[in-house]
Amino acid sequence: MTLTGRNIIGGRPEGEGTAFRAVAAATGREIEPTFHAATADDVDRACALADQAFDAYRETDPERRAAFLEAIAQAILDIGDSLIVRCMEESGLPRARLEGERGRTVGQLRMFAGVLREGSFLGVRIDPALPDRQPLPRPDLRLRNVAVGPVAVFGASNFPLAFSVAGGDTASALAAGCPVVAKAHPAHPGTSELVGAAVAKAAAQCGMPEGVFSLLFDDGIVVGQRLVSDSRIAAVGFTGSRTGGTALMKLAAERPVPIPVYAEMSSINPVVLLPDALASRGGAIGKAFVGALTLGSGQFCTNPGLVLAVEGAGLDAFLSGAAAALEGVAAQTMLTPGIHRTYCAGVAALEANEAVTLLARGRGGGETQGQAALFATSAAAFLADHRLEAEVFGAASLVVRCRDIGEIRAVLARLEGQLTAALHMEPGDHEAARALLPMLERRVGRILVNGFGTGVEVGHAMVHGGPYPATSDGRTTSVGSLAIQHFLRPVCYQDLPDTLLPRELQQANPLGIPRRIDGRHEA
Amino acid sequence: MTLTGRNIIGGRPEGEGTAFRAVAAATGREIEPTFHAATADDVDRACALADQAFDAYRETDPERRAAFLEAIAQAILDIGDSLIVRCMEESGLPRARLEGERGRTVGQLRMFAGVLREGSFLGVRIDPALPDRQPLPRPDLRLRNVAVGPVAVFGASNFPLAFSVAGGDTASALAAGCPVVAKAHPAHPGTSELVGAAVAKAAAQCGMPEGVFSLLFDDGIVVGQRLVSDSRIAAVGFTGSRTGGTALMKLAAERPVPIPVYAEMSSINPVVLLPDALASRGGAIGKAFVGALTLGSGQFCTNPGLVLAVEGAGLDAFLSGAAAALEGVAAQTMLTPGIHRTYCAGVAALEANEAVTLLARGRGGGETQGQAALFATSAAAFLADHRLEAEVFGAASLVVRCRDIGEIRAVLARLEGQLTAALHMEPGDHEAARALLPMLERRVGRILVNGFGTGVEVGHAMVHGGPYPATSDGRTTSVGSLAIQHFLRPVCYQDLPDTLLPRELQQANPLGIPRRIDGRHEA
């Protein structure tokens, strides 16, 4: 497929807005073709079409939406290798990673197809009428979840497939019954157009209303601001920086009708190394840690940016193992020149901090490549300097040497909300771990043992979320089947004749979905 | 029990803040004793105790919290008639209503005890490890909901028992595992102290941590502002005016760590009278409508403030029936002199509007009593004047005469978010109703047929919520068992040894709660 460089609005390529080009991550040079930023009219048209499509789309049978999601998955696969090639050029990410990410994207869409067929997402509850109840009869009450309305989805720079145009937010919104207006990330407009065209093709194939999906380009922030401010947009999905996420939160809160923003923003993902684990396998943990730290040049929201441990021989072994491994790690192309610059500035700030020691660096590289770095400081210094808590997006991490478990607790108590926390332990560490768990539960969305948070399984029990500022809304997850809840709200139907009820709520349960009757799951 | 007029902080009466007195609703005169508004120190101590109590309280077994809720219910009943007598004096509400409301309050607490024992609120999901999966093994993933943290609950003027100190928000927050800091509504401080002391007594009996509940007084807004701004408060429950609710939303959004506000604010609850229903029983519907309109002097968030119908003989019969009924309705004491003044001003504004006709008034009464009123206007006038959409809190309603169903649609399309919408219909109206349902689903939380929204059943399938500005967050309900979701967030546990898992997630399921394994409900 030849790239047109145009927005896709209601299935058609459109737009004559400001021109810009993609930049090859490895070289920093512009590449063809010219893309056109969406104009105010383009945003308006995409939102109007989404709004027009909403009532028809949200009432499609779950099976039809499942087939639509599967068709999107197939259409993405049908693009073939040109998707991977374009994405490699735009993102600088290697082939194996992007092939894996494509598999994840397709898997996510298919998982939501399964969620639709299973039906629990509808949250059906029926409290049957009790006409003879005293002192008052009980009416017939039936509850289902309905879609909230058209959703604005912002593509993420660091997941050009799995959290962009047809990524997790789009999949969960479309599954819920919400039309999507996607805003392509300017770091990968070509990848975005290819995927957007695949979604549009699947929509046409499946007979979906034309406004069910649109894709808008922009190399700035105006299109995103217009989208979030548009009265027809009912919710926002965003993965990116804290600056970007909090700006959207503010915009959404100040609308005449405020709307929810699900922004996944920043996290340093503390790793706690407990004494017996360090004593028995400190060096091996150090090596594994460097693997997690440098994966994808550290450009994961779940990257382990903070390590806490009590000083001693075990920690020394960890640090030796980590340093040895790190020094062998090649520099990798970062996603954009801007991300690379910000990474270098973050590393330079740590280097310039007198309370921080440089422990090791990865191998050097070209001018768009991130050189991994490992630093250390003391708990006292960490507690005295809030700047040390800031995320450095990339393969940099800070080890906090603690004198005792009390200092580990003090550091954890200071931390902002996080996506993940990892505990490395042996059975002898269980009591220490048990004492830390309540603190971690209050601060993170996922607690893991003897691993690192970088792998985010797409499943039913995953939480990729966490208290602010890890996300804008710690009551949710953006990865996994539970993410569909972002885009649903409950409606109650009281005493409606069966023939007027939506099929999900009809007495005979024609869709065969799980229901709660009088609060109990039906057998 | 003798009233002390003091805040209850961690179970103890405290406070020497600004003095104020309750006002008898019927006379407008101050009554004994003197109450003391919470000082900044009082707010700080209540929040500090709530925060200290949180970890212990949230990990109490669901059975223990259920017993605590039941003990609160019993302690409220044990206050005996003095609660009803004080509440009648403060609120002006009649005995039968308050005895019913006490039953509802106690029933709500017991319902949440049932929710705790049933266990679905924990949302347990388990995706078991797949060590042999290719290309990567799957870790063991387990998800449960945890309590969000200490909750600030604002008492409502119009439900001095069911939505105040131990009302729906408090019951659902305590059920979820959140300590509560309640702010008493200044319209019923004595009622609040009696109920607050009952909660404190139950907490002591059940061995709950002392900070699990506090009660703060104020006759202004400063204590509420301090509470919502306190960093230890994690969520807010509020029922009241749109001015109050939106002010709290703004305050919560501007905190360094924003928190969710669940505010139930305002609604005019459109009632659509369809042609066959009007033709066959217009007069009877008119009479029933007046019953709903004037119940409790119309001081319900679900009061039917707007009636839509096509002109004709059926509507004339409805209006005659309604007018005849209304003219016999005695004026009733309103909750506060302020609410009475605002009601009179709202009625006067309708009377002064040239496009509005007064159809009927209820009987006149004393200077604190609300005189019911029914007005009419045309669809064209309604569409031309946004002021006609404003809630008049009390027993006033506006009938919009429409020329055809198209005008009914046009009026519905203009409406803001609402708590409820009612359709009155006969089988011949089903097709017309079917065409309206999608519009209503987008605008309201509950759709009901051949009734009025004033009765809000406390059950599992109830939604008392709706799009902004009916509430601050249309994804939720504040009445019914689903309200516990306000105060929960998911946490995922990855590869934790069984012994370190919370009991809800242990493999053997020692609490016997419903679980989803690989996304499917366990049989």
Side-chain angles (χ1 to χ4, degrees):
Chain A
M1 184 192 137
T2 312
L3 293 173
T4 69
R6 293 185 196 277
N7 307 291
I8 300 173
I9 299 176
R12 282 185 298 276
E14 302 212 20
E16 295 292 344
T18 319
F20 72 98
R21 283 196 176 77
V23 168
T27 62
R29 295 210 194 99
E30 291 195 346
I31 48 178
E32 292 298 325
T34 299
F35 284 85
H36 293 276
T39 61
D41 276 354
D42 293 333
V43 175
D44 179 67
R45 209 159 54 253
C47 293
L49 284 174
D51 188 56
Q52 285 163 31
F54 177 48
D55 277 331
Y57 182 62
R58 71 188 175 90
E59 286 302 334
T60 50
D61 271 356
E63 172 56 40
R64 277 197 65 205
R65 293 208 296 286
F68 175 36
L69 294 177
E70 288 169 339
I72 296 172
Q74 188 56 50
I76 290 170
L77 293 174
D78 288 347
I79 303 169
D81 202 50
S82 61
L83 177 63
I84 302 297
V85 170
R86 176 79 193 189
C87 194
M88 286 169 65
E89 187 174 17
E90 290 185 330
S91 70
L93 294 168
R95 171 175 288 275
R97 150 71 192 269
L98 290 175
E99 287 177 350
E101 192 178 325
R102 178 174 59 184
R104 179 188 183 87
T105 307
V106 165
Q108 232 163 212
L109 288 157
R110 291 175 176 157
M111 178 194 69
F112 281 111
V115 166
L116 286 169
R117 293 193 175 107
E118 194 269 337
S120 288
F121 76 99
L122 291 161
V124 170
R125 294 168 164 230
I126 299 177
D127 296 346
L130 299 173
D132 300 325
R133 191 182 66 172
Q134 294 300 330
L136 286 171
R138 181 170 81 177
D140 181 83
L141 295 164
R142 290 165 192 254
L143 178 154
R144 68 161 176 165
N145 290 326
V146 301
V148 293
V151 172
V153 171
F154 287 75
S157 65
N158 63 336
F159 280 97
L161 299 172
F163 265 81
S164 286
V165 176
D169 287 341
T170 295
S172 52
L174 289 177
C178 299
V180 167
V181 182
K183 198 230 146 239
H185 197 286
H188 50 260
T191 304
S192 298
E193 187 188 334
L194 290 169
V195 174
V199 178
K201 182 176 125 190
Q205 269 174 4
C206 296
M208 292 296 164
E210 63 169 352
V212 73
F213 174 80
S214 289
L215 172 65
L216 304 176
F217 292 109
D218 192 14
D219 62 343
I221 61 171
V222 174
V223 168
Q225 288 172 336
R226 285 194 178 126
L227 251 186
V228 173
S229 302
D230 191 285
S231 65
R232 292 157 296 197
I233 294 296
V236 178
F238 171 88
T239 301
S241 70
R242 196 190 299 193
T243 309
T246 53
L248 294 184
M249 288 172 70
K250 188 162 184 292
L251 209 56
E254 288 170 352
R255 288 167 45 122
V257 174
I259 56 174
V261 172
Y262 300 104
E264 198 259 86
M265 298 188 288
S266 63
S267 184
I268 57 174
N269 306 296
V271 175
V272 181
L273 308 173
L274 291 166
D276 279 17
L278 275 183
S280 65
R281 49 191 172 87
I285 298 173
K287 192 176 164 196
F289 161 75
V290 167
L293 175 66
T294 59
L295 191 70
S297 205
Q299 300 167 120
F300 290 103
C301 9
T302 49
N303 194 54
L306 187 74
V307 178
L308 307 176
V310 176
E311 290 184 297
L315 178 55
D316 293 343
F318 168 86
L319 295 174
S320 304
L326 197 71
E327 281 157 10
V329 171
Q332 296 163 74
T333 301
M334 294 192 78
L335 291 160
T336 70
I339 286 173
H340 180 257
R341 274 194 302 276
T342 305
Y343 173 72
C344 293
V347 168
L350 286 170
E351 281 188 302
N353 191 315
E354 290 191 357
V356 173
T357 315
L358 177 67
L359 292 176
R361 295 216 66 169
R363 302 211 315 260
E367 62 180 23
T368 60
Q369 295 188 308
Q371 186 184 4
L374 185 61
F375 297 94
T377 192
S378 67
F382 185 88
L383 292 169
D385 186 350
H386 265 287
R387 295 171 304 169
L388 295 178
E389 204 185 331
E391 181 183 36
V392 178
F393 189 71
S397 192
L398 178 64
V399 178
V400 179
R401 299 172 185 272
C402 299
R403 281 179 301 190
D404 52 31
I405 198 90
E407 281 200 341
I408 291 181
R409 292 184 66 84
V411 170
L412 289 175
R414 230 283 290 285
L415 291 186
E416 300 179 309
Q418 306 288 337
L419 293 171
T420 72
L423 295 166
H424 288 259
M425 63 172 76
E426 289 293 313
D429 297 315
H430 281 186
E431 285 319 302
R434 193 185 301 282
L436 295 178
L437 284 172
M439 303 186 71
L440 297 180
E441 283 168 339
R442 289 177 71 160
R443 281 166 185 77
V444 315
R446 178 164 55 116
I447 299 169
L448 59 149
V449 167
N450 291 339
F452 299 93
T454 33
V456 183
E457 184 72 29
V458 179
H460 305 288
M462 174 52 64
V463 177
H464 188 64
Y468 185 92
T471 73
S472 55
D473 186 337
R475 294 162 296 172
T476 65
T477 173
S478 61
V479 174
S481 64
L482 199 57
I484 196 171
Q485 295 297 328
H486 282 182
F487 305 117
L488 296 169
R489 49 174 274 266
V491 173
C492 172
Y493 301 77
Q494 178 173 326
D495 285 337
L496 260 67
D498 204 61
T499 171
L500 287 181
L501 283 169
R503 298 212 298 152
E504 296 93 311
L505 295 180
Q506 289 174 5
Q507 189 62 25
N509 195 9
L511 300 180
I513 51 185
R515 313 190 292 187
R516 300 183 68 174
I517 311 290
D518 272 328
R520 300 265 159 192
H521 292 288
E522 217 173 10
Chain B
M1 184 191 138
T2 311
L3 292 173
T4 69
R6 292 183 197 279
N7 308 292
I8 301 171
I9 299 176
R12 283 185 297 276
E14 302 213 20
E16 295 292 344
T18 318
F20 70 99
R21 283 198 176 78
V23 168
T27 63
R29 295 212 193 96
E30 291 194 346
I31 49 179
E32 291 298 323
T34 298
F35 285 84
H36 293 276
T39 61
D41 276 355
D42 294 332
V43 175
D44 180 66
R45 207 159 55 253
C47 293
L49 284 174
D51 188 56
Q52 285 162 30
F54 177 49
D55 277 331
Y57 182 62
R58 70 187 175 92
E59 287 302 334
T60 49
D61 271 356
E63 172 56 40
R64 277 196 65 208
R65 292 208 297 287
F68 175 37
L69 294 178
E70 289 169 338
I72 295 171
Q74 188 57 50
I76 289 170
L77 293 175
D78 288 347
I79 303 168
D81 201 50
S82 61
L83 176 63
I84 302 296
V85 170
R86 176 77 193 191
C87 195
M88 286 169 65
E89 188 174 17
E90 290 185 330
S91 69
L93 294 169
R95 171 176 286 277
R97 149 71 192 268
L98 289 174
E99 287 178 350
E101 191 179 326
R102 178 174 60 185
R104 179 188 183 88
T105 307
V106 165
Q108 232 162 211
L109 288 156
R110 291 176 176 157
M111 178 194 68
F112 281 111
V115 166
L116 286 168
R117 293 191 174 108
E118 193 270 338
S120 288
F121 77 99
L122 291 161
V124 169
R125 292 168 167 231
I126 299 178
D127 295 345
L130 300 173
D132 300 324
R133 191 183 63 173
Q134 293 302 327
L136 287 172
R138 181 171 82 177
D140 181 84
L141 295 165
R142 290 165 193 254
L143 179 155
R144 69 161 176 165
N145 291 326
V146 301
V148 293
V151 172
V153 171
F154 287 75
S157 65
N158 64 336
F159 279 97
L161 300 171
F163 265 81
S164 285
V165 175
D169 287 341
T170 295
S172 52
L174 289 177
C178 299
V180 167
V181 182
K183 195 222 146 250
H185 197 286
H188 50 259
T191 305
S192 298
E193 186 188 335
L194 290 168
V195 174
V199 178
K201 182 177 126 192
Q205 270 173 1
C206 296
M208 292 296 163
E210 62 169 354
V212 73
F213 174 81
S214 289
L215 173 66
L216 304 177
F217 292 109
D218 191 15
D219 62 343
I221 61 172
V222 174
V223 168
Q225 289 172 334
R226 284 193 178 125
L227 251 185
V228 173
S229 304
D230 191 284
S231 64
R232 293 157 295 200
I233 294 296
V236 177
F238 171 88
T239 301
S241 69
R242 196 190 300 193
T243 309
T246 53
L248 295 183
M249 288 171 71
K250 188 162 185 294
L251 209 57
E254 287 169 353
R255 289 166 45 122
V257 174
I259 56 174
V261 173
Y262 300 104
E264 198 260 87
M265 299 189 286
S266 64
S267 184
I268 56 173
N269 304 297
V271 175
V272 180
L273 308 175
L274 290 167
D276 279 17
L278 276 183
S280 66
R281 49 191 172 86
I285 298 173
K287 192 178 165 194
F289 162 74
V290 167
L293 175 67
T294 59
L295 191 72
S297 204
Q299 299 166 119
F300 290 103
C301 10
T302 48
N303 194 53
L306 187 73
V307 178
L308 307 177
V310 176
E311 289 184 298
L315 178 55
D316 293 343
F318 169 86
L319 295 173
S320 303
L326 197 71
E327 281 157 10
V329 171
Q332 296 164 72
T333 299
M334 295 193 75
L335 292 160
T336 71
I339 286 173
H340 180 258
R341 273 193 303 276
T342 304
Y343 173 71
C344 293
V347 168
L350 286 170
E351 282 187 302
N353 191 314
E354 292 192 355
V356 174
T357 316
L358 177 67
L359 292 175
R361 295 217 66 167
R363 303 211 315 259
E367 63 179 24
T368 60
Q369 296 187 306
Q371 185 184 3
L374 185 61
F375 297 93
T377 192
S378 68
F382 185 88
L383 291 169
D385 186 350
H386 264 288
R387 295 171 304 170
L388 295 178
E389 205 185 332
E391 182 183 38
V392 177
F393 189 71
S397 192
L398 178 63
V399 178
V400 180
R401 298 173 185 271
C402 299
R403 282 178 302 188
D404 52 31
I405 198 91
E407 281 200 343
I408 292 181
R409 291 184 68 85
V411 169
L412 289 175
R414 229 283 290 287
L415 292 185
E416 299 179 310
Q418 306 289 337
L419 294 171
T420 71
L423 295 166
H424 287 259
M425 64 172 75
E426 289 293 313
D429 296 315
H430 281 189
E431 285 319 302
R434 193 187 302 280
L436 295 177
L437 285 172
M439 302 185 72
L440 298 180
E441 283 168 340
R442 289 177 72 160
R443 281 166 186 78
V444 315
R446 177 165 55 116
I447 299 169
L448 59 148
V449 166
N450 291 338
F452 298 94
T454 32
V456 184
E457 185 72 30
V458 179
H460 305 287
M462 175 51 64
V463 177
H464 189 64
Y468 185 93
T471 74
S472 56
D473 186 336
R475 294 162 295 172
T476 65
T477 173
S478 61
V479 173
S481 64
L482 199 56
I484 195 172
Q485 296 297 328
H486 283 183
F487 305 118
L488 296 169
R489 50 173 275 264
V491 173
C492 172
Y493 301 77
Q494 178 174 325
D495 285 337
L496 260 69
D498 205 61
T499 169
L500 286 181
L501 283 169
R503 297 213 297 152
E504 296 93 312
L505 296 180
Q506 288 174 6
Q507 189 61 25
N509 195 8
L511 299 181
I513 52 184
R515 313 190 292 186
R516 299 183 70 174
I517 311 291
D518 272 328
R520 300 264 159 193
H521 292 289
E522 219 172 9

